[in-house]
């Protein structure tokens, strides 16, 4: 039997950060994942403290940035890979009214630190920007796909990763311990994301997921080094490729 403090089911962002927290507390663990849940892998990874549809602050934006970015920076050093890409977000204005709403938002105490009050005028033949752009500060992108790939490799190198579909029927729970196959643990964490709907212990929780849809395009004439927000986001990645999204599918929940 392999004895650990925790079994973690799922290696998306929730699973990775659960591992990091347990490591900081000196706890042992193993991770079980079958790649059935793709949200963290396909995500655009954009971090942005402002809801740009209505110019409102993201919930506890300051606290989230102060907590998250140092963790990702530490992971960069340990995994020896770049994960955090600091890149500005420019919100395309469609009218004078949107410009005025931006100026009003800039004066709000919770938004002052995140919005540049000066309208950006940037000419690009591929973009119709008659009314200019508003610039959001303290924004960027986390390469979630690279993070999970490198983190899984580290777990595998330390014999802490099981690439398999979790079998709930095999789980044995008692007051003393939790046993799964040849693993003896004190606790279990289900970090399954929308996979929760298949979990017999928690599938009655009122989780109503939505599927975010992204597409990667090649646009050599666009030549922008910022995230463009209009009807959707355009996020530059590399070699004139951009992530475009997200739109949302509310009915079809399959991968």
């Amino acid at each position: 039997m392999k004895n650990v403090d925790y079994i973690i089911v799922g290696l998306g962002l929730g699973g990775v950060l659960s591992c990091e927290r347990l490591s900081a507390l000196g706890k042992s663990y193993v991770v079980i994942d079958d790649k059935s849940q793709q949200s963290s892998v396909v995500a655009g990874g954009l971090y942005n403290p402002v809801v740009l549809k209505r110019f409102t602050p993201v919930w506890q934006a300051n606290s989230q940035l102060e907590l998250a970015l140092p963790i990702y920076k530490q992971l960069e050093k340990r995994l020896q890979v770049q994960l955090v890409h600091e890149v500005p977000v420019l919100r395309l204005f469609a009218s004078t009214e949107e410009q005025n709403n931006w100026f009003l938002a800039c004066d709000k105490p919770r938004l002052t630190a995140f919005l540049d009050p000066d309208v950006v005028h940037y000419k690009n033949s591929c973009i119709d920007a008659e009314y200019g752009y508003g610039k959001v500060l303290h924004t960027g992108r986390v390469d979630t796909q690279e993070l999970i790939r490198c983190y899984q490799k580290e777990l595998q190198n330390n014999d802490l990763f099981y690439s398999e579909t979790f079998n709930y029927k095999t789980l044995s729970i008692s007051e003393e311990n939790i046993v799964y196959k040849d693993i003896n643990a004190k606790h279990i964490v289900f970090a399954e994301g929308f996979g929760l709907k298949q979990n017999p212990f928690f599938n009655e929780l009122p989780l109503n997921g939505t599927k975010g849809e992204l597409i990667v395009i090649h646009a050599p004439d666009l030549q922008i080094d910022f995230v463009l927000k209009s009807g959707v986001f355009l996020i530059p990645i590399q070699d004139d490729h951009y992530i475009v999204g997200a739109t949302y599918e509310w009915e079809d929940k399959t991968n």
Side-chain angles (χ1 to χ4, degrees), residues 26-235:
K27 303 296 183 181
S28 59
Y29 53 84
V30 294
V31 178
I32 301 170
D33 185 86
D34 66 355
K35 299 189 181 301
S36 62
Q37 302 306 309
Q38 297 291 308
S39 297
S40 294
V41 176
V42 303
L46 184 67
Y47 62 89
N48 165 36
V50 182
V51 180
L52 289 175
K53 187 173 184 178
R54 298 180 180 85
F55 306 145
T56 55
V58 169
W59 177 75
Q60 293 195 3
N62 272 320
S63 298
Q64 292 199 62
L65 288 171
E66 290 171 4
L67 178 66
L69 291 180
I71 293 174
Y72 290 124
K73 292 286 188 180
Q74 291 168 14
L75 285 166
E76 278 187 325
K77 291 181 180 179
R78 196 175 82 229
L79 300 174
Q80 297 184 324
V81 63
Q82 185 176 4
L83 299 173
V84 180
H85 302 265
E86 296 179 1
V87 56
V89 172
L90 297 188
R91 167 61 153 82
L92 180 67
F93 296 137
S95 64
T96 303
E97 182 183 4
E98 283 196 347
Q99 282 185 343
N100 292 335
N101 290 338
W102 180 268
F103 295 139
L104 290 172
C106 288
D107 291 333
K108 295 180 180 179
R110 293 173 62 194
L111 289 173
T112 300
F114 300 129
L115 301 181
D116 188 330
D118 296 326
V119 174
V120 176
H121 293 283
Y122 165 74
K123 292 184 178 180
N124 186 311
S125 60
C126 296
I127 307 170
D128 182 5
E130 178 183 355
Y131 300 97
Y133 311 80
K135 184 177 181 180
V136 188
L137 309 175
H138 308 295
T139 60
R141 181 176 73 90
V142 176
D143 191 335
T144 55
Q145 184 174 11
E146 187 71 359
L147 167 60
I148 292 168
R149 184 188 70 81
C150 293
Y151 205 91
Q152 178 178 321
K153 185 176 180 180
E154 181 183 70
L155 291 172
Q156 288 171 325
N157 290 340
N158 292 299
D159 195 28
L160 299 177
F161 185 80
Y162 293 76
S163 180
E164 62 181 73
T165 299
F166 189 82
N167 186 344
Y168 302 98
K169 294 180 180 178
T170 307
L171 190 65
S172 174
I173 301 174
S174 69
E175 292 186 2
E176 291 76 27
N177 62 355
I178 293 172
V179 177
Y180 180 76
K181 296 183 178 180
D182 63 344
I183 306 168
N184 182 60
K186 299 174 183 176
H187 310 279
I188 186 166
V189 174
F190 291 106
E192 302 167 292
F194 192 64
L196 178 76
K197 300 300 287 186
Q198 308 302 321
N199 186 316
F201 303 106
F202 298 104
N203 60 10
E204 292 185 2
L205 291 176
L207 175 66
N208 182 23
T210 177
K211 181 167 63 178
E213 298 180 320
L214 305 174
I215 188 171
V216 175
I217 65 168
H218 181 228
D221 295 333
L222 186 53
Q223 296 291 311
I224 62 173
D225 58 359
F226 55 86
V227 175
L228 175 61
K229 174 64 173 78
S230 183
V232 293
F233 280 99
L234 273 81
I235 306 174

